[in-house]
Amino acid sequence: MRARSPGRTVRAERSAVRPGRRGPIGWAAATVAAALVLSGCYRGAGNLGNEGRDTINVLMVNNPQMADLQRLTAEHFTRQTGIKVNYTVLPEDDLRDKMSQDFSSQAGQYDVASLSNYETPIYARNGWLSPLGERAARDTSFDQADLLAPVRKSLTAADGKVYAEPFYGESSFLMYRKDVLRDAGLTMPAKPTWKQVAALAAKLDGARPGMKGICLRGQPGWGQLAAPLTSVVNTFGGTWFTKDWQARVNSPEFTAATRFYVGLLREHGEAGAPQAGYTECLNDMQQGKVAMWYDATAGAGSLESGDSKVAGKVGYVPAPVERTASSGWLYTWAWGVQKASTHQDAAWRFISWASGKGYERLVGERLGWSKVPAGKRASTYRDPDYLRQSGAFAAATKNAITSARPDDPGVQPRPAPGIQFVGIPEFSDLGTKVSHEVSSAIAGRQSVSEALDKSQRLAEEVARAYAKR
């Protein structure tokens, strides 16, 4: 899950996810920026007849991979198809607000939007998206079967239909400085526990001048602090809700996991931890300020890029565990088509191009293989060109994604799927509010018990609405 700023509630009806319904639904990089409206300009004759005169409007999050897509659209997609693409590029919170407004009203202002595996099943249940499975099946060049199964499943709604296609996917793992551990005479376990990671963090504090043992997100937000924290809660045996919608945010297991997370950050975490998110931890790792970093697998490409100071010095192991076999999360930025769009064919042509094998190769050859929006296709991890650039983390990334279990992420049954989130519309608001309380504990303004007692009351409000049904 790439960087997230504090989330806002998905404007979906509460009936979007029914209590007890275990349909396949699962879930990083919002940066603060002004909204930009960018267009892919037509520069060549189309080959699609009347469709060649189509213009589609795409609402897109302002992640680096999307910026690359915008730059390549006119020269490659529009020139080939004659379809002009008008992009509206927004920070993540603004994107979610605008998308929910347009799609919920079926205003049709945007034909395609970048949405995640958190929104997709909710939007599909509300009837806001066009199913894409039949189009994908007819488009043999797209090769739907090549998509990694957990990613494909996370974009499939309770009715069994696919409603979005992935642009890139990610899980989470632990990144660490191989050279720093070696010089300190330490060894990273192949499958570390969180307690082992904490012991290593204590020994790595000060291993280099100014270096801290580990970086973890402390910035409030349902997709910032709440994401890694929830994966730790899962493996410590906790859960936000029981299968019958009992809130468990101040349970012994949830409390133990949160105390561990907060204590690790306070004792051995990065400077400014209460406001550090994905971007800050990435920068700290690249600049040699931290020895370890637990976060999204998508961060590895930046660590191994040509301008990174730590390229070739980083090792990658699975997300640390305690009581579960694995604890890596699952997230994908994907493309969905608004049901009200009057450009359904052109919208699919865009998605087929942007999420296809050919686009990955185009990015690799034109921009560099570390920029490929990977994490979604099995064929990517057989491509020798990609593997030459990403061999340090490719296998670890694929293993983390394919082992993710959104329907069974902990030690007990869940009322809704999701690993680093709970797959209900209310979670974006609940997760953000709880993350503010926990971030305050990281800052030392209150105890973990105080933070979770307040959070329990918030979770109980959500639980009551579902338990009555």
Short mmCIF file of all heavy atoms in Angstrom, two decimals, residues 138-199:
data_model
loop_
_atom_site.label_atom_id
_atom_site.label_comp_id
_atom_site.label_asym_id
_atom_site.label_seq_id
_atom_site.Cartn_x
_atom_site.Cartn_y
_atom_site.Cartn_z
N ARG A 138 -12.71 -11.59 -24.14
CA ARG A 138 -12.69 -11.45 -25.61
C ARG A 138 -11.38 -10.86 -26.12
O ARG A 138 -11.00 -11.06 -27.27
CB ARG A 138 -13.87 -10.58 -26.07
CG ARG A 138 -15.24 -11.21 -25.86
CD ARG A 138 -16.29 -10.47 -26.66
NE ARG A 138 -16.39 -9.07 -26.29
CZ ARG A 138 -17.24 -8.59 -25.38
NH1 ARG A 138 -18.04 -9.43 -24.73
NH2 ARG A 138 -17.29 -7.30 -25.11
N ASP A 139 -10.71 -10.13 -25.27
CA ASP A 139 -9.47 -9.46 -25.66
C ASP A 139 -8.30 -10.41 -25.36
O ASP A 139 -7.70 -10.38 -24.29
CB ASP A 139 -9.32 -8.17 -24.85
CG ASP A 139 -8.14 -7.31 -25.29
OD1 ASP A 139 -7.27 -7.82 -26.01
OD2 ASP A 139 -8.09 -6.14 -24.88
N THR A 140 -7.98 -11.25 -26.32
CA THR A 140 -6.96 -12.29 -26.08
C THR A 140 -5.59 -11.70 -25.80
O THR A 140 -4.78 -12.32 -25.10
CB THR A 140 -6.88 -13.23 -27.28
OG1 THR A 140 -6.62 -12.47 -28.48
CG2 THR A 140 -8.18 -14.00 -27.47
N SER A 141 -5.30 -10.52 -26.29
CA SER A 141 -3.99 -9.92 -26.04
C SER A 141 -3.84 -9.47 -24.60
O SER A 141 -2.73 -9.33 -24.09
CB SER A 141 -3.76 -8.73 -26.98
OG SER A 141 -4.69 -7.69 -26.70
N PHE A 142 -4.96 -9.27 -23.92
CA PHE A 142 -4.89 -8.80 -22.53
C PHE A 142 -4.45 -9.92 -21.60
O PHE A 142 -3.71 -9.69 -20.65
CB PHE A 142 -6.25 -8.25 -22.09
CG PHE A 142 -6.23 -7.66 -20.71
CD1 PHE A 142 -5.60 -6.45 -20.47
CD2 PHE A 142 -6.82 -8.32 -19.64
CE1 PHE A 142 -5.56 -5.91 -19.19
CE2 PHE A 142 -6.80 -7.80 -18.36
CZ PHE A 142 -6.16 -6.59 -18.15
N ASP A 143 -4.91 -11.12 -21.82
CA ASP A 143 -4.50 -12.30 -21.05
C ASP A 143 -4.86 -12.16 -19.57
O ASP A 143 -3.99 -12.02 -18.71
CB ASP A 143 -3.01 -12.56 -21.22
CG ASP A 143 -2.60 -13.95 -20.72
OD1 ASP A 143 -3.49 -14.69 -20.28
OD2 ASP A 143 -1.40 -14.26 -20.78
N GLN A 144 -6.15 -12.26 -19.29
CA GLN A 144 -6.64 -12.15 -17.91
C GLN A 144 -6.06 -13.24 -17.02
O GLN A 144 -5.81 -13.01 -15.82
CB GLN A 144 -8.17 -12.23 -17.92
CG GLN A 144 -8.83 -12.10 -16.56
CD GLN A 144 -9.01 -10.65 -16.14
OE1 GLN A 144 -8.49 -9.74 -16.78
NE2 GLN A 144 -9.75 -10.44 -15.07
N ALA A 145 -5.83 -14.41 -17.57
CA ALA A 145 -5.31 -15.52 -16.77
C ALA A 145 -3.89 -15.27 -16.27
O ALA A 145 -3.44 -15.93 -15.34
CB ALA A 145 -5.35 -16.82 -17.59
N ASP A 146 -3.19 -14.33 -16.89
CA ASP A 146 -1.82 -14.01 -16.48
C ASP A 146 -1.78 -13.18 -15.20
O ASP A 146 -0.74 -13.08 -14.56
CB ASP A 146 -1.12 -13.26 -17.63
CG ASP A 146 0.33 -12.94 -17.35
OD1 ASP A 146 1.06 -13.86 -16.90
OD2 ASP A 146 0.75 -11.79 -17.57
N LEU A 147 -2.90 -12.59 -14.81
CA LEU A 147 -2.94 -11.77 -13.61
C LEU A 147 -2.78 -12.65 -12.38
O LEU A 147 -3.35 -13.75 -12.30
CB LEU A 147 -4.26 -11.00 -13.52
CG LEU A 147 -4.52 -9.99 -14.64
CD1 LEU A 147 -5.91 -9.37 -14.46
CD2 LEU A 147 -3.45 -8.91 -14.67
N LEU A 148 -1.99 -12.18 -11.42
CA LEU A 148 -1.79 -12.94 -10.19
C LEU A 148 -3.13 -13.16 -9.48
O LEU A 148 -3.92 -12.22 -9.34
CB LEU A 148 -0.82 -12.21 -9.27
CG LEU A 148 0.60 -12.03 -9.83
CD1 LEU A 148 1.43 -11.16 -8.89
CD2 LEU A 148 1.28 -13.38 -10.02
N ALA A 149 -3.37 -14.39 -9.05
CA ALA A 149 -4.69 -14.77 -8.54
C ALA A 149 -5.19 -13.88 -7.40
O ALA A 149 -6.35 -13.46 -7.41
CB ALA A 149 -4.68 -16.23 -8.13
N PRO A 150 -4.38 -13.58 -6.37
CA PRO A 150 -4.92 -12.73 -5.29
C PRO A 150 -5.33 -11.33 -5.77
O PRO A 150 -6.32 -10.78 -5.29
CB PRO A 150 -3.75 -12.65 -4.30
CG PRO A 150 -2.94 -13.87 -4.57
CD PRO A 150 -3.02 -14.06 -6.05
N VAL A 151 -4.58 -10.78 -6.71
CA VAL A 151 -4.92 -9.46 -7.23
C VAL A 151 -6.22 -9.54 -8.02
O VAL A 151 -7.12 -8.71 -7.86
CB VAL A 151 -3.77 -8.92 -8.11
CG1 VAL A 151 -4.17 -7.61 -8.77
CG2 VAL A 151 -2.51 -8.73 -7.28
N ARG A 152 -6.32 -10.53 -8.89
CA ARG A 152 -7.53 -10.71 -9.69
C ARG A 152 -8.74 -10.92 -8.79
O ARG A 152 -9.80 -10.33 -9.00
CB ARG A 152 -7.34 -11.89 -10.64
CG ARG A 152 -8.50 -12.10 -11.61
CD ARG A 152 -8.19 -13.19 -12.62
NE ARG A 152 -8.04 -14.50 -12.00
CZ ARG A 152 -6.91 -15.18 -11.96
NH1 ARG A 152 -5.81 -14.67 -12.49
NH2 ARG A 152 -6.87 -16.38 -11.41
N LYS A 153 -8.59 -11.75 -7.78
CA LYS A 153 -9.70 -12.03 -6.87
C LYS A 153 -10.12 -10.79 -6.10
O LYS A 153 -11.31 -10.58 -5.83
CB LYS A 153 -9.31 -13.14 -5.90
CG LYS A 153 -10.43 -13.58 -4.98
CD LYS A 153 -9.97 -14.69 -4.04
CE LYS A 153 -11.10 -15.11 -3.11
NZ LYS A 153 -10.64 -16.13 -2.12
N SER A 154 -9.17 -9.96 -5.73
CA SER A 154 -9.50 -8.77 -4.94
C SER A 154 -10.30 -7.75 -5.72
O SER A 154 -10.90 -6.85 -5.13
CB SER A 154 -8.21 -8.12 -4.42
OG SER A 154 -7.53 -7.42 -5.45
N LEU A 155 -10.32 -7.87 -7.04
CA LEU A 155 -11.09 -6.97 -7.89
C LEU A 155 -12.35 -7.62 -8.42
O LEU A 155 -12.99 -7.11 -9.35
CB LEU A 155 -10.21 -6.49 -9.06
CG LEU A 155 -8.95 -5.73 -8.63
CD1 LEU A 155 -8.05 -5.46 -9.84
CD2 LEU A 155 -9.30 -4.42 -7.93
N THR A 156 -12.70 -8.76 -7.83
CA THR A 156 -13.91 -9.50 -8.18
C THR A 156 -14.93 -9.29 -7.07
O THR A 156 -14.62 -9.44 -5.89
CB THR A 156 -13.60 -10.99 -8.33
OG1 THR A 156 -12.57 -11.17 -9.30
CG2 THR A 156 -14.84 -11.77 -8.76
N ALA A 157 -16.16 -8.94 -7.44
CA ALA A 157 -17.18 -8.64 -6.45
C ALA A 157 -17.90 -9.91 -6.01
O ALA A 157 -17.64 -11.01 -6.49
CB ALA A 157 -18.17 -7.62 -7.01
N ALA A 158 -18.86 -9.75 -5.10
CA ALA A 158 -19.58 -10.89 -4.54
C ALA A 158 -20.39 -11.64 -5.59
O ALA A 158 -20.72 -12.81 -5.40
CB ALA A 158 -20.50 -10.42 -3.41
N ASP A 159 -20.71 -10.98 -6.70
CA ASP A 159 -21.47 -11.65 -7.77
C ASP A 159 -20.58 -12.47 -8.69
O ASP A 159 -21.06 -13.06 -9.67
CB ASP A 159 -22.28 -10.64 -8.58
CG ASP A 159 -21.41 -9.61 -9.30
OD1 ASP A 159 -20.17 -9.71 -9.24
OD2 ASP A 159 -21.98 -8.68 -9.90
N GLY A 160 -19.27 -12.52 -8.40
CA GLY A 160 -18.34 -13.31 -9.19
C GLY A 160 -17.81 -12.62 -10.43
O GLY A 160 -17.04 -13.22 -11.19
N LYS A 161 -18.18 -11.37 -10.65
CA LYS A 161 -17.74 -10.64 -11.84
C LYS A 161 -16.55 -9.73 -11.51
O LYS A 161 -16.47 -9.17 -10.42
CB LYS A 161 -18.89 -9.80 -12.40
CG LYS A 161 -20.07 -10.64 -12.89
CD LYS A 161 -21.17 -9.75 -13.43
CE LYS A 161 -22.36 -10.57 -13.92
NZ LYS A 161 -23.45 -9.69 -14.44
N VAL A 162 -15.67 -9.57 -12.49
CA VAL A 162 -14.52 -8.68 -12.37
C VAL A 162 -14.96 -7.26 -12.73
O VAL A 162 -15.54 -7.04 -13.79
CB VAL A 162 -13.37 -9.13 -13.29
CG1 VAL A 162 -12.23 -8.11 -13.27
CG2 VAL A 162 -12.87 -10.51 -12.88
N TYR A 163 -14.66 -6.31 -11.84
CA TYR A 163 -15.10 -4.94 -12.06
C TYR A 163 -13.96 -3.95 -12.23
O TYR A 163 -14.19 -2.76 -12.42
CB TYR A 163 -16.00 -4.48 -10.92
CG TYR A 163 -17.40 -5.05 -11.01
CD1 TYR A 163 -17.71 -6.27 -10.43
CD2 TYR A 163 -18.40 -4.38 -11.71
CE1 TYR A 163 -18.98 -6.81 -10.51
CE2 TYR A 163 -19.68 -4.91 -11.81
CZ TYR A 163 -19.96 -6.11 -11.21
OH TYR A 163 -21.24 -6.64 -11.31
N ALA A 164 -12.73 -4.39 -12.13
CA ALA A 164 -11.58 -3.50 -12.33
C ALA A 164 -10.39 -4.34 -12.75
O ALA A 164 -10.33 -5.54 -12.47
CB ALA A 164 -11.26 -2.71 -11.06
N GLU A 165 -9.45 -3.70 -13.44
CA GLU A 165 -8.23 -4.38 -13.87
C GLU A 165 -7.03 -3.66 -13.25
O GLU A 165 -6.98 -2.42 -13.22
CB GLU A 165 -8.12 -4.39 -15.39
CG GLU A 165 -9.25 -5.12 -16.10
CD GLU A 165 -9.23 -6.62 -15.87
OE1 GLU A 165 -8.30 -7.13 -15.20
OE2 GLU A 165 -10.16 -7.31 -16.35
N PRO A 166 -6.05 -4.40 -12.76
CA PRO A 166 -4.96 -3.79 -12.00
C PRO A 166 -3.96 -3.04 -12.86
O PRO A 166 -3.62 -3.48 -13.97
CB PRO A 166 -4.30 -5.01 -11.34
CG PRO A 166 -4.56 -6.13 -12.29
CD PRO A 166 -5.92 -5.87 -12.86
N PHE A 167 -3.50 -1.93 -12.34
CA PHE A 167 -2.38 -1.20 -12.96
C PHE A 167 -1.07 -1.64 -12.33
O PHE A 167 -0.10 -1.91 -13.01
CB PHE A 167 -2.59 0.30 -12.80
CG PHE A 167 -1.53 1.13 -13.48
CD1 PHE A 167 -1.21 0.94 -14.81
CD2 PHE A 167 -0.87 2.13 -12.78
CE1 PHE A 167 -0.24 1.71 -15.44
CE2 PHE A 167 0.11 2.90 -13.39
CZ PHE A 167 0.42 2.69 -14.73
N TYR A 168 -1.03 -1.70 -11.01
CA TYR A 168 0.08 -2.37 -10.32
C TYR A 168 -0.43 -2.91 -8.99
O TYR A 168 -1.45 -2.48 -8.47
CB TYR A 168 1.29 -1.46 -10.13
CG TYR A 168 1.13 -0.28 -9.21
CD1 TYR A 168 1.23 -0.41 -7.83
CD2 TYR A 168 0.93 1.00 -9.73
CE1 TYR A 168 1.11 0.68 -6.99
CE2 TYR A 168 0.81 2.10 -8.90
CZ TYR A 168 0.89 1.94 -7.53
OH TYR A 168 0.77 3.02 -6.70
N GLY A 169 0.28 -3.89 -8.48
CA GLY A 169 -0.10 -4.51 -7.22
C GLY A 169 1.06 -4.52 -6.25
O GLY A 169 2.22 -4.36 -6.64
N GLU A 170 0.74 -4.72 -4.98
CA GLU A 170 1.80 -4.75 -3.97
C GLU A 170 1.34 -5.52 -2.74
O GLU A 170 0.15 -5.72 -2.51
CB GLU A 170 2.18 -3.33 -3.55
CG GLU A 170 1.09 -2.59 -2.83
CD GLU A 170 1.45 -1.16 -2.49
OE1 GLU A 170 2.11 -0.50 -3.30
OE2 GLU A 170 1.06 -0.71 -1.39
N SER A 171 2.32 -5.98 -1.99
CA SER A 171 2.11 -6.52 -0.66
C SER A 171 3.05 -5.75 0.26
O SER A 171 3.43 -4.62 -0.05
CB SER A 171 2.38 -8.02 -0.63
OG SER A 171 2.10 -8.57 0.64
N SER A 172 3.45 -6.36 1.36
CA SER A 172 4.40 -5.71 2.26
C SER A 172 5.49 -6.69 2.63
O SER A 172 5.27 -7.91 2.63
CB SER A 172 3.69 -5.21 3.53
OG SER A 172 3.04 -6.27 4.21
N PHE A 173 6.68 -6.16 2.89
CA PHE A 173 7.77 -6.99 3.40
C PHE A 173 8.75 -6.13 4.18
O PHE A 173 8.57 -4.91 4.29
CB PHE A 173 8.47 -7.80 2.31
CG PHE A 173 9.00 -7.06 1.09
CD1 PHE A 173 9.34 -5.73 1.11
CD2 PHE A 173 9.20 -7.75 -0.10
CE1 PHE A 173 9.86 -5.09 0.00
CE2 PHE A 173 9.72 -7.12 -1.22
CZ PHE A 173 10.04 -5.80 -1.17
N LEU A 174 9.74 -6.78 4.75
CA LEU A 174 10.75 -6.07 5.54
C LEU A 174 11.98 -5.85 4.68
O LEU A 174 12.54 -6.78 4.10
CB LEU A 174 11.13 -6.88 6.78
CG LEU A 174 12.15 -6.23 7.72
CD1 LEU A 174 11.55 -5.01 8.42
CD2 LEU A 174 12.65 -7.24 8.75
N MET A 175 12.40 -4.60 4.59
CA MET A 175 13.60 -4.22 3.86
C MET A 175 14.69 -3.87 4.86
O MET A 175 14.42 -3.19 5.85
CB MET A 175 13.29 -3.02 2.95
CG MET A 175 12.25 -3.34 1.87
SD MET A 175 11.38 -1.89 1.20
CE MET A 175 10.00 -1.76 2.37
N TYR A 176 15.91 -4.31 4.61
CA TYR A 176 16.97 -4.09 5.60
C TYR A 176 18.32 -3.91 4.89
O TYR A 176 18.55 -4.42 3.80
CB TYR A 176 17.05 -5.26 6.58
CG TYR A 176 17.50 -6.57 5.97
CD1 TYR A 176 18.84 -6.97 6.05
CD2 TYR A 176 16.62 -7.40 5.30
CE1 TYR A 176 19.27 -8.16 5.48
CE2 TYR A 176 17.03 -8.60 4.73
CZ TYR A 176 18.35 -8.96 4.82
OH TYR A 176 18.78 -10.14 4.24
N ARG A 177 19.22 -3.19 5.55
CA ARG A 177 20.55 -2.94 5.03
C ARG A 177 21.45 -4.15 5.29
O ARG A 177 21.89 -4.39 6.41
CB ARG A 177 21.13 -1.68 5.67
CG ARG A 177 20.51 -0.40 5.17
CD ARG A 177 21.02 -0.02 3.79
NE ARG A 177 22.46 0.17 3.81
CZ ARG A 177 23.05 1.31 4.15
NH1 ARG A 177 22.32 2.35 4.50
NH2 ARG A 177 24.37 1.40 4.14
N LYS A 178 21.73 -4.89 4.24
CA LYS A 178 22.57 -6.08 4.38
C LYS A 178 23.96 -5.73 4.89
O LYS A 178 24.51 -6.45 5.75
CB LYS A 178 22.69 -6.79 3.02
CG LYS A 178 21.40 -7.35 2.48
CD LYS A 178 21.62 -8.10 1.17
CE LYS A 178 22.07 -7.16 0.06
NZ LYS A 178 22.18 -7.86 -1.25
N ASP A 179 24.51 -4.64 4.39
CA ASP A 179 25.87 -4.28 4.78
C ASP A 179 25.94 -3.85 6.24
O ASP A 179 26.91 -4.15 6.94
CB ASP A 179 26.40 -3.17 3.86
CG ASP A 179 25.51 -1.93 3.85
OD1 ASP A 179 24.28 -2.08 4.05
OD2 ASP A 179 26.02 -0.82 3.61
N VAL A 180 24.91 -3.16 6.73
CA VAL A 180 24.91 -2.70 8.11
C VAL A 180 24.81 -3.89 9.06
O VAL A 180 25.52 -3.97 10.07
CB VAL A 180 23.77 -1.70 8.35
CG1 VAL A 180 23.68 -1.32 9.83
CG2 VAL A 180 23.97 -0.44 7.50
N LEU A 181 23.92 -4.84 8.75
CA LEU A 181 23.81 -6.02 9.59
C LEU A 181 25.10 -6.83 9.57
O LEU A 181 25.57 -7.31 10.60
CB LEU A 181 22.64 -6.90 9.14
CG LEU A 181 21.31 -6.64 9.87
CD1 LEU A 181 20.70 -5.31 9.42
CD2 LEU A 181 20.32 -7.78 9.62
N ARG A 182 25.70 -6.95 8.39
CA ARG A 182 26.95 -7.72 8.28
C ARG A 182 28.04 -7.09 9.12
O ARG A 182 28.75 -7.78 9.87
CB ARG A 182 27.38 -7.78 6.81
CG ARG A 182 28.64 -8.62 6.57
CD ARG A 182 29.14 -8.48 5.15
NE ARG A 182 29.54 -7.12 4.84
CZ ARG A 182 28.96 -6.36 3.91
NH1 ARG A 182 27.95 -6.84 3.20
NH2 ARG A 182 29.38 -5.13 3.69
N ASP A 183 28.19 -5.78 9.01
CA ASP A 183 29.24 -5.11 9.78
C ASP A 183 29.01 -5.19 11.28
O ASP A 183 29.96 -5.14 12.07
CB ASP A 183 29.33 -3.64 9.35
CG ASP A 183 29.81 -3.47 7.91
OD1 ASP A 183 30.30 -4.47 7.34
OD2 ASP A 183 29.67 -2.36 7.36
N ALA A 184 27.73 -5.32 11.67
CA ALA A 184 27.41 -5.43 13.10
C ALA A 184 27.44 -6.88 13.57
O ALA A 184 27.17 -7.14 14.76
CB ALA A 184 26.04 -4.83 13.37
N GLY A 185 27.76 -7.81 12.68
CA GLY A 185 27.81 -9.21 13.05
C GLY A 185 26.44 -9.81 13.30
O GLY A 185 26.31 -10.77 14.07
N LEU A 186 25.42 -9.28 12.62
CA LEU A 186 24.04 -9.73 12.82
C LEU A 186 23.52 -10.44 11.57
O LEU A 186 23.98 -10.16 10.45
CB LEU A 186 23.13 -8.55 13.15
CG LEU A 186 23.51 -7.73 14.39
CD1 LEU A 186 22.64 -6.49 14.49
CD2 LEU A 186 23.37 -8.59 15.65
N THR A 187 22.56 -11.32 11.75
CA THR A 187 21.96 -12.07 10.65
C THR A 187 20.46 -11.88 10.66
O THR A 187 19.81 -12.01 11.71
CB THR A 187 22.28 -13.57 10.76
OG1 THR A 187 23.70 -13.75 10.75
CG2 THR A 187 21.67 -14.35 9.61
N MET A 188 19.90 -11.58 9.50
CA MET A 188 18.45 -11.46 9.38
C MET A 188 17.86 -12.84 9.15
O MET A 188 18.24 -13.53 8.20
CB MET A 188 18.08 -10.54 8.21
CG MET A 188 16.59 -10.46 7.94
SD MET A 188 15.62 -9.73 9.29
CE MET A 188 16.18 -8.01 9.20
N PRO A 189 16.92 -13.29 9.97
CA PRO A 189 16.26 -14.58 9.72
C PRO A 189 15.54 -14.58 8.38
O PRO A 189 15.05 -13.54 7.92
CB PRO A 189 15.27 -14.70 10.88
CG PRO A 189 15.81 -13.79 11.94
CD PRO A 189 16.45 -12.65 11.21
N ALA A 190 15.45 -15.73 7.77
CA ALA A 190 14.77 -15.84 6.48
C ALA A 190 13.29 -15.51 6.61
O ALA A 190 12.67 -14.95 5.69
CB ALA A 190 14.95 -17.24 5.91
N LYS A 191 12.69 -15.85 7.75
CA LYS A 191 11.29 -15.54 8.03
C LYS A 191 11.22 -14.97 9.46
O LYS A 191 10.90 -15.68 10.40
CB LYS A 191 10.41 -16.77 7.89
CG LYS A 191 10.34 -17.31 6.48
CD LYS A 191 9.39 -18.51 6.39
CE LYS A 191 9.29 -19.01 4.96
NZ LYS A 191 8.37 -20.17 4.85
N PRO A 192 11.48 -13.69 9.60
CA PRO A 192 11.60 -13.12 10.96
C PRO A 192 10.27 -12.99 11.68
O PRO A 192 9.21 -12.85 11.05
CB PRO A 192 12.21 -11.74 10.69
CG PRO A 192 11.72 -11.39 9.33
CD PRO A 192 11.72 -12.68 8.56
N THR A 193 10.34 -13.04 13.00
CA THR A 193 9.20 -12.66 13.84
C THR A 193 9.36 -11.20 14.22
O THR A 193 10.46 -10.62 14.10
CB THR A 193 9.15 -13.51 15.12
OG1 THR A 193 10.28 -13.19 15.93
CG2 THR A 193 9.15 -15.00 14.79
N TRP A 194 8.28 -10.61 14.69
CA TRP A 194 8.38 -9.22 15.11
C TRP A 194 9.29 -9.06 16.32
O TRP A 194 10.00 -8.06 16.44
CB TRP A 194 6.99 -8.66 15.41
CG TRP A 194 6.33 -8.08 14.19
CD1 TRP A 194 5.23 -8.55 13.54
CD2 TRP A 194 6.77 -6.92 13.46
NE1 TRP A 194 4.95 -7.75 12.44
CE2 TRP A 194 5.88 -6.75 12.38
CE3 TRP A 194 7.83 -6.02 13.61
CZ2 TRP A 194 6.00 -5.72 11.46
CZ3 TRP A 194 7.96 -4.99 12.69
CH2 TRP A 194 7.06 -4.83 11.63
N LYS A 195 9.30 -10.03 17.19
CA LYS A 195 10.19 -9.93 18.35
C LYS A 195 11.65 -9.98 17.92
O LYS A 195 12.51 -9.28 18.49
CB LYS A 195 9.87 -11.04 19.35
CG LYS A 195 8.52 -10.86 20.03
CD LYS A 195 8.25 -11.95 21.05
CE LYS A 195 6.93 -11.70 21.77
NZ LYS A 195 5.76 -11.70 20.89
N GLN A 196 11.97 -10.78 16.90
CA GLN A 196 13.33 -10.80 16.37
C GLN A 196 13.68 -9.47 15.72
O GLN A 196 14.80 -8.96 15.86
CB GLN A 196 13.47 -11.94 15.36
CG GLN A 196 13.46 -13.31 15.98
CD GLN A 196 13.43 -14.43 14.93
OE1 GLN A 196 12.83 -14.29 13.86
NE2 GLN A 196 14.07 -15.55 15.24
N VAL A 197 12.73 -8.89 15.02
CA VAL A 197 12.96 -7.59 14.39
C VAL A 197 13.22 -6.52 15.44
O VAL A 197 14.11 -5.67 15.30
CB VAL A 197 11.77 -7.21 13.49
CG1 VAL A 197 11.88 -5.76 13.01
CG2 VAL A 197 11.68 -8.15 12.29
N ALA A 198 12.45 -6.54 16.53
CA ALA A 198 12.65 -5.56 17.59
C ALA A 198 14.03 -5.71 18.21
O ALA A 198 14.70 -4.70 18.51
CB ALA A 198 11.57 -5.73 18.66
N ALA A 199 14.49 -6.95 18.40
CA ALA A 199 15.83 -7.16 18.97
C ALA A 199 16.90 -6.65 18.03
O ALA A 199 17.90 -6.04 18.47
CB ALA A 199 16.04 -8.65 19.24
#
